[in-house]
Amino acid sequence: MTKPRILVTRAVFSEVLDHLGEYFEVQSNQADEIWSKAQLVERLHGKLGALTTGSERIDTELLAASPMLQICANMAVGFNNFDLDAMTELGVLGTNTPDVLTQTTADFGFALLLAAARRVTEGEHYLRAGEWRRWRYDMFAGAEVHGSTLGILGMGRIGQAIARRGAMGFEMQVIYHNRSRLAPDVEAHSCARYVGKEELLRSADHLVLVLPYSQQSHHAIGAAELAMMKSTATLVNIARGGIVDDLALADALGHGRLAAAGLDVFEGEPTVHPELLALKNVVLTPHIASATIPTRKAMAMLAAENLIGFLLLGQPVSPLNPQVLGSPQQVQRKGRATGTPAG
Ligand code: 8YV
């Protein structure tokens, strides 16, 4: 019997390809070429599933041009590269990779917070430039982290993991704001207190953003919000570019209205706003919060398990739009793939 055909859009661990190869005929991209939309559509021809990353935009145009495609398994917890409404409407399942990256990403949030607040990279650049000639009492004096107030905007799994690190490891008072308040037991486990957004902005010594990107969260931190923050505060964004108005942030950092920032994500990445690049009081990293080998393997394997679970057993592990399962549009796509007309 011929195996179902799938596409893996970017380079991935060879063991993940081997695992997928047990069940599917796999077209991969180990050269890690960046395909145009037309090239992606061309390669999706005849494919039942795709292992995607945040780099591929999955929208109506692509789905309409790929009539056999039934699932896009994103190797990411975030899925703002998916037009999920269009996927649901056109009968295509989307899956993501929750849980497996929570702790690793929370670790990195803290790495950026510490590096920005304690001016780690600024000090390193100074040293490497050969400018360090003597000690001075206030040289690269930064903000206190332990015992300070940690604010978290977006209190999902990663936000909760950051909160616990702050409260238990650094004896911080943790406050959070979220679309909906956590259940009392979850809140207690996170050692965090719920506050309104304005109180969060005004009270936090360090503010970490961990909310998903959507039209509603676009520029959730803009000039007005930055103006409410303490001038001694640190802002960390490990969520998505576009949640922060990067130009307004650069202006606040450049004029001393905010002490420091740590950014792993940017509006229009991989391009970074030149005004941010010119500043010393911002730590910039290339979207690597989940980048450890064990975590990236776990993410890729979970995406693979979603493809296997759904295409072979009809049971995805972490579906984003489970209402698609068994929908007439999805049955129609299945019918096209097997050559059995639906209905
Ligand atoms: C990914 C991420 O590396 O999971 C996410 O949402 O932002 C990162 O862990 C990136 O999206 C690649 O797909």
Side-chain angles (χ1 to χ4, degrees):
M1 216 178 93
T2 55
K3 292 175 178 171
R5 295 168 66 200
I6 63 158
L7 180 70
V8 178
T9 59
R10 297 290 306 274
V12 74
F13 301 95
S14 58
E15 57 256 56
V16 174
L17 287 183
D18 293 345
H19 185 51
L20 285 168
E22 291 171 32
Y23 305 92
F24 304 116
E25 188 185 316
V26 183
Q27 181 176 356
S28 62
N29 177 16
Q30 291 304 76
D32 214 24
E33 288 167 2
I34 298 298
W35 298 330
S36 66
K37 186 162 207 173
Q39 287 171 320
L40 178 59
V41 166
E42 191 190 313
R43 284 159 178 83
L44 280 171
H45 183 76
K47 306 294 192 305
L48 274 52
L51 193 156
T52 56
T53 72
S55 315
E56 293 82 45
R57 176 96 194 122
I58 308 299
D59 57 14
T60 306
E61 196 190 338
L62 178 138
L63 297 171
S66 315
M68 288 191 190
L69 188 68
Q70 293 160 50
I71 171 173
C72 290
N74 225 24
M75 184 186 152
V77 68
F79 51 90
N80 56 306
N81 58 311
F82 286 176
D83 181 340
L84 202 60
D85 290 340
M87 291 172 77
T88 305
E89 205 173 301
L90 293 170
V92 177
L93 184 75
T95 64
N96 69 339
T97 59
D99 301 318
V100 291
L101 47 57
T102 300
Q103 301 302 334
T104 301
T105 306
D107 287 348
F108 197 80
F110 246 91
L112 274 186
L113 193 166
L114 287 164
R118 295 301 309 275
R119 307 177 66 180
V120 174
T121 53
E122 209 183 333
E124 189 194 353
H125 289 141
Y126 173 86
L127 180 153
R128 285 183 188 274
E131 289 176 40
W132 185 32
R133 300 217 172 75
R134 55 185 182 155
W135 178 89
R136 204 188 126 83
Y137 76 99
D138 62 349
M139 190 166 80
F140 294 111
E144 212 69 88
V145 174
H146 74 275
S148 64
T149 298
L150 172 63
I152 300 178
L153 185 58
M155 199 62 159
R157 302 171 191 84
I158 300 170
Q160 292 168 37
I162 291 172
R164 283 193 295 275
R165 278 163 177 72
M168 295 189 210
F170 291 84
E171 297 176 357
M172 298 168 97
Q173 290 83 50
V174 185
I175 52 178
Y176 79 95
H177 183 72
N178 199 41
R179 267 175 309 185
S180 44
R181 189 171 172 171
L182 299 179
D185 56 329
V186 184
E187 201 172 86
H189 183 61
S190 304
C191 318
R193 186 168 62 86
Y194 179 81
V195 294
K197 186 175 173 187
E198 186 167 338
E199 187 180 341
L200 182 87
L201 294 166
R202 292 194 190 281
S203 307
D205 294 311
H206 309 285
L207 178 64
V208 183
L209 309 178
V210 215
L211 63 167
Y213 180 81
S214 66
Q215 263 171 8
Q216 291 71 42
S217 65
H218 181 76
H219 286 188
I221 301 294
E225 289 74 18
L226 290 163
M228 290 181 202
M229 293 180 68
K230 296 180 183 178
S231 61
T232 50
T234 313
L235 179 71
V236 172
N237 187 6
I238 53 168
R240 278 291 180 272
I243 290 175
V244 176
D245 177 343
D246 283 352
L247 198 54
L249 174 62
D251 193 56
L253 288 167
H255 290 92
R257 297 196 303 275
L258 189 73
L263 307 175
D264 188 46
V265 288
F266 306 88
E267 288 190 287
E269 64 185 54
T271 304
V272 177
H273 205 289
E275 303 222 1
L276 283 175
L277 290 171
L279 290 168
K280 288 186 174 164
N281 52 344
V282 56
V283 180
L284 307 166
T285 53
H287 203 147
I288 54 170
S290 67
T292 67
I293 295 297
T295 292
R296 285 281 165 85
K297 271 191 189 162
M299 290 164 71
M301 275 300 182
L302 180 50
E305 291 309 334
N306 270 307
L307 287 163
I308 297 164
F310 173 65
L311 287 172
L312 271 59
L313 308 165
Q315 286 172 350
V317 187
S318 41
L320 292 165
N321 53 348
Q323 64 272 38
V324 151
L325 301 170
S327 73
Q329 296 89 331
Q330 201 234 328
V331 171
Q332 209 172 42
R333 282 183 175 260
K334 268 197 179 145
R336 286 190 205 114
T338 53
T340 349

